[in-house]
Amino acid sequence: MTTPPDPPPAPRPAAAPQATSPQVAAGRAATEQARTERAREKEKTGRLKAVLDTIPLLATLTTVSVALFSSLQSQQQYRDTQASARFQSAVELLAGDDLTTRVGGVALLGQVAQTNSERRENAVRLLATFLRVHSPATDAGRAAAVTREPAAEEVRAVFSAMAYRGDVKEVDLGRISARGLQLADADLRGLILARSDLSGGSFGRGDLRGVSLQGATLRGVGFGQADLRGAVLTGADLRDADLRGARLAGTDLRGTTGLTSAQLAGATTDGTTRLPAGITVPVAGAQTAPTP
């Protein structure tokens, strides 16, 4: 006897889609909004904490900055006070009766010029005035024979102090007597030496570009390898001056006395070098008669 097959199972009805009620949607939105608010509050709290954490650091930095500024200000005031005291002391020493005292004043003014830029120009110009008063050029001095005696102590001290003049220009050292002054390799730019007596001195390898030597007495002065480009020597007395190797491009030599063509042998000139009438630059390698 054959058993009849089981009937196929009845198909399950499809699940009906669950409807989202307005209340559920509103609840979800409220939950999301609350989560967002909590995140914002947490972020704000973190920023506030970071700011509060920096306040002690800022306070410390402010305190340190104020202390540093006060310290620097105090140091500057101290330096100014010291410079003022040195300047006043130097002025008093310059008026001293003996040579040692005056030279000490010159050296002290040189220190002021070196260390205090605000008083540098006053110090430099005071030194120039001191030298014009204490070592003036005279007609008798200009006419005296050239010797190799060293320059006066005060003169040497002032020129040493002038090394600290910095960018002070147009320093008037005109009409001074500085006979026998030895200043090899010196930078004399910015100095005015017009009508000064520098006889017997030496400025070898010095930088005298643009320096005014107008009317100066330069008898027997050594200018070997010196840079005299653009210098003004009109009216200067150049008898027996050594110009070998001197750079004279653009130099005005018109009206000089005692200059010979032989003295220009070995000097460097160009078309802008202005020479006195009758003076020429010897051709390189040509034999030049010795100066009588």
Side-chain angles (χ1 to χ4, degrees), residues 111-122:
Q111 292 180 10
V112 173
Q114 182 181 14
T115 59
N116 192 279
S117 58
E118 294 182 357
R119 290 176 173 80
R120 179 172 297 144
E121 183 166 359
N122 288 339

Side-chain angles (χ1 to χ4, degrees), residues 214-231:
Q214 185 174 8
T217 303
L218 305 173
R219 290 189 296 146
V221 172
F223 287 114
Q225 307 298 322
D227 193 342
L228 288 157
R229 288 177 293 173

